[in-house]
């Protein structure tokens, strides 16, 4: 929820590795520290958060769409 990078930003990259964390803990600090960016999945005000499988499906769709 603290990430600021959107799907538009990742369109400039040719190769992408998608790392997903657990729903409670997220990804480990050292993994997060070595990422080029953290991606935010935008939601509306009615949706507080997405579970990891839904967020992953959205991310894969958006990455494949580019």
């Amino acid at each position: 929820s603290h990430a600021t990078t959107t799907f538009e930003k990742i369109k400039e990259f040719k190769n992408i590795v998608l790392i997903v964390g657990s729903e409670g803990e997220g990804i480990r600090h050292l993994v997060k520290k070595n990422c080029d960016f953290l991606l935010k999945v935008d939601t509306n005000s009615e949706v507080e958060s997405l579970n990891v499988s839904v967020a992953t499906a959205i991310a894969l769709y958006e990455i494949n769409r580019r």
Side-chain angles (χ1 to χ4, degrees):
S1 64
H2 302 301
T4 57
T5 304
T6 63
F7 289 106
E8 291 300 315
K9 169 79 173 150
I10 66 169
K11 290 183 178 182
E12 64 190 52
F13 293 93
K14 182 177 180 180
N15 298 314
I16 296 173
V17 173
L18 180 64
I19 300 169
V20 295
S22 66
E23 293 180 27
E25 299 288 323
I27 59 176
R28 292 180 183 223
H29 176 70
L30 189 56
V31 174
K32 187 184 292 187
K33 180 179 171 183
N34 286 290
C35 291
D36 293 326
F37 53 84
L38 301 176
L39 185 65
K40 180 174 185 71
V41 177
D42 289 325
T43 60
N44 63 26
S45 61
E46 295 177 16
V47 178
E48 185 175 314
S49 65
L50 301 171
N51 71 30
V52 71
S53 64
V54 172
T56 301
I58 292 169
L60 290 171
Y61 172 80
E62 291 292 338
I63 291 167
N64 190 49
R65 199 171 76 133
R66 61 188 180 102

